[in-house]
């Protein structure tokens, strides 16, 4: 169902009727539960499969509103799922929905979307919303922007804003096995947990708002470095004449073991399911790694921390992104970067 031409008031009216109607109540053993409403903003590589899991797992009578600046993606989602209303304006979501998830690329996208949802206020006195409005931002953005959006939400009494960035990539989003790192006050943990658990297998509450992002950025800073270190170590070993698989097997039972060595090994053929064995296609793009690394370094700098290794790592990832042949591939392609730009090692990037 497309609601682009339906005025928000009509949406409210139809939802009011739906919420008030006898069919909107489901009776449980101990209590009746009102129909719940969800909004999903940003249906990209992560958001689309997350929204799919959410829509599939919530009761069919619950309502779901979706929005993306790319209308084609919304139409596709609505054609594949029942009980979805497409809106062209995020305000229509904010006016009608209790729980709103955002999965957007960069800080400025999150700021723009929240500016539209909060100014002028969208929490209407006659809205069909039955419990406090909760905004869950799953985007990986900088800590300061997230805190500013939370402050704008809280100071105007328009609901609660928490951060819940995720780890697990597109495969985890599709399989519903993401790990969420949540920054939220204790009283919202159970409510958010119940929703995020529909899209992931682990929800880790790290503390107050922004804590989820701080945890995510610390983790991805470490990942940025362990990936480069693994690429260097594997390149050394292979160049010294060691068998790549034997070397990786040894490292993975020794102290050098890490996610890039064990799961995402950068040498083609060592781990058949790793992007390296598929021409470095899919996986976690260097561009996203670079973005997260910069966000972590920015947050560190704001606390007077100099991220020594990150400075060099940033240059390496930037150089990979500047290389026309390596650009756009999984970040383990750094192995090829260390292999030398003018050698035959660069050939066969497409899985040969
Ligand atoms: P993406 O670029 O594939 O999707 C983002 C979506 O947001 C797009 O469909 C885009 O059209 C939409 N969008 C942009 N501006 C919008 C606006 N103003 N209103 C509504 N929709 C808008 O990005 P992604 O890979 O899905 O990543 C989303 C977030 O998740 C990012 O912050 C990213 O860092 C994080 N993340 C990504 C991965 C991954 O593997 N892709 C893993 C973990 C976390």
């Amino acid at each position: 169902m497309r609601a682009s031409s339906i005025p928000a008031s009509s949406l409210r009216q139809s939802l009011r009727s739906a919420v008030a109607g006898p069919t909107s109540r489901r009776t449980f053993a101990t209590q009746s539960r009102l129909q719940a409403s969800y909004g999903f903003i940003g249906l990209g590589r992560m958001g689309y499969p997350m929204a799919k899991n959410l829509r599939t797992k919530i009761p069919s009578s619950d309502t779901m509103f979706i929005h993306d600046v790319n209308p084609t993606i919304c139409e596709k989602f609505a054609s594949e799922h029942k009980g979805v209303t497409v809106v062209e304006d995020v305000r229509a979501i904010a006016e009608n929905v209790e729980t709103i998830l955002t999965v957007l690329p960069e800080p400025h996208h999150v700021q723009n979307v929240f500016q539209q949802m909060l100014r002028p206020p969208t929490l209407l006195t006659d809205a069909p919303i039955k419990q406090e409005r909760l905004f869950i931002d799953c985007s990986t953005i900088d800590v300061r922007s997230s805190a500013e959006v939370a402050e704008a939400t809280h100071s105007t009494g328009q609901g609660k804003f928490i951060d819940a960035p995720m780890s697990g990539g597109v495969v985890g989003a599709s399989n519903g096995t993401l790990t969420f790192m949540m920054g939220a006050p204790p009283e919202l943990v159970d409510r958010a947990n119940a929703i995020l658990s529909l899209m992931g297998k682990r929800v880790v509450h790290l503390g107050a708002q922004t804590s989820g992002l701080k945890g995510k950025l610390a983790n991805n800073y470490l990942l940025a470095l362990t990936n480069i270190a693994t690429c260097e170590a594997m390149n050394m070993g292979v160049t010294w004449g060691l068998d790549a698989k034997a070397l990786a097997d040894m490292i993975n039972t020794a102290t050098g073991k890490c996610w890039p060595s064990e799961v995402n090994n950068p040498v083609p053929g060592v781990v058949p399911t790793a992007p390296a064995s598929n021409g470095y296609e899919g996986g976690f793009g260097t561009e996203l790694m670079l973005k997260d690394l910069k966000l972590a370094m920015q947050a560190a700098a704001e606390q007077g921390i100099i991220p020594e290794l990150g400075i060099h790592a940033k240059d390496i990832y930037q150089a990979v992104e500047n290389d026309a042949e390596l650009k756009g591939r999984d970040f383990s392609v750094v192995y090829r970067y260390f292999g030398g730009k003018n050698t035959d090692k660069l050939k066969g990037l497409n899985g040969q």
Side-chain angles (χ1 to χ4, degrees):
M1 173 182 169
R2 167 166 278 277
S4 56
S5 54
I6 306 174
S9 55
S10 309
L11 281 172
R12 282 199 300 280
Q13 185 54 49
S14 63
L15 266 171
R16 250 199 313 274
S17 335
V19 169
T23 53
S24 66
R25 285 179 187 277
R26 286 187 303 280
T27 305
F28 288 79
T30 53
Q31 64 178 53
S32 64
R33 175 189 182 275
L34 280 176
Q35 181 184 41
S37 54
Y38 299 88
F40 211 107
I41 302 172
L43 290 114
R45 279 168 293 186
M46 295 296 286
Y48 196 99
M50 289 167 70
K52 184 183 177 73
N53 276 318
L54 184 65
R55 180 64 271 186
T56 308
K57 293 177 187 174
I58 57 176
S60 57
S61 54
D62 286 353
T63 56
M64 185 167 176
F65 287 63
I66 60 167
H67 172 76
D68 193 291
V69 283
N70 178 354
T72 314
I73 225 163
C74 292
E75 296 298 351
K76 180 175 185 293
F77 191 90
S79 71
E80 290 173 359
H81 303 86
K82 288 188 178 139
V84 173
T85 302
V86 179
V87 292
E88 277 185 4
D89 177 357
V90 291
R91 291 182 64 79
I93 291 186
E95 287 173 355
N96 291 290
V97 170
E98 292 158 346
T99 305
I100 300 170
L101 292 119
T102 38
V103 187
L104 296 163
E106 305 268 352
H108 69 93
H109 297 114
V110 176
Q111 284 163 332
N112 286 345
V113 161
F114 275 86
Q115 186 153 1
Q116 289 172 55
M117 288 197 288
L118 301 178
R119 291 185 207 154
T122 41
L123 198 55
L124 306 171
T125 49
D126 63 343
I129 295 170
K130 294 284 176 254
Q131 57 178 340
E132 186 169 43
R133 193 163 60 172
L134 175 63
F135 298 96
I136 305 177
D137 184 31
C138 299
S139 321
T140 305
I141 62 169
D142 64 292
V143 172
R144 196 200 297 181
S145 295
S146 183
E148 284 171 3
V149 174
E151 167 62 17
T153 309
H154 300 158
S155 64
T156 52
Q158 292 203 66
K160 288 285 186 298
F161 175 97
I162 66 170
D163 54 300
M166 64 259 171
S167 177
V170 175
V171 173
S174 301
N175 296 341
T177 54
L178 293 169
T179 293
F180 290 95
M181 300 91 162
M182 180 165 52
E187 65 273 15
L188 289 175
V189 169
D190 286 349
R191 182 175 164 193
N193 211 335
I195 296 158
L196 295 171
S197 297
L198 301 174
M199 297 172 286
K201 68 171 182 201
R202 275 195 84 204
V203 182
V204 184
H205 179 229
L206 289 168
Q209 201 273 316
T210 70
S211 300
L213 277 169
K214 287 169 182 165
K216 162 86 183 173
L217 294 181
N219 178 73
N220 279 24
Y221 182 82
L222 181 59
L223 176 63
L225 302 182
T226 53
N227 176 59
I228 290 177
T230 303
C231 292
E232 284 194 305
M234 291 303 297
N235 186 41
M236 281 178 201
V238 169
T239 307
W240 292 333
L242 297 178
D243 175 74
K245 179 96 173 64
L247 174 60
D249 285 349
M250 182 279 292
I251 288 173
N252 292 331
T253 55
T255 48
K257 175 178 163 176
C258 55
W259 188 82
S261 70
E262 192 175 32
V263 178
N264 210 55
N265 197 286
V267 183
V270 168
V271 177
T273 51
S277 300
N278 185 33
Y280 299 90
E281 295 291 343
F284 188 51
T286 305
E287 189 187 4
L288 282 177
M289 184 73 269
L290 191 55
K291 174 197 146 188
D292 290 0
L293 182 57
K294 286 179 182 171
L295 291 176
M297 290 170 67
Q298 179 191 331
E302 284 169 9
Q303 296 299 320
I305 298 167
I306 300 170
E308 304 276 1
L309 295 177
I311 294 166
H312 195 43
K314 183 162 75 71
D315 290 342
I316 291 170
Y317 287 119
Q318 190 63 66
V320 170
E321 269 302 278
N322 291 344
D323 184 315
E325 193 165 10
L326 304 180
K327 184 180 169 61
R329 297 176 191 264
D330 180 73
F331 74 140
S332 62
V333 80
V334 165
Y335 174 75
R336 296 293 191 161
Y337 174 74
F338 290 144
K341 290 194 171 192
N342 297 317
T343 72
D344 285 341
K345 285 183 179 174
L346 273 179
K347 289 182 183 157
L349 269 176
N350 294 316
Q352 295 125 24

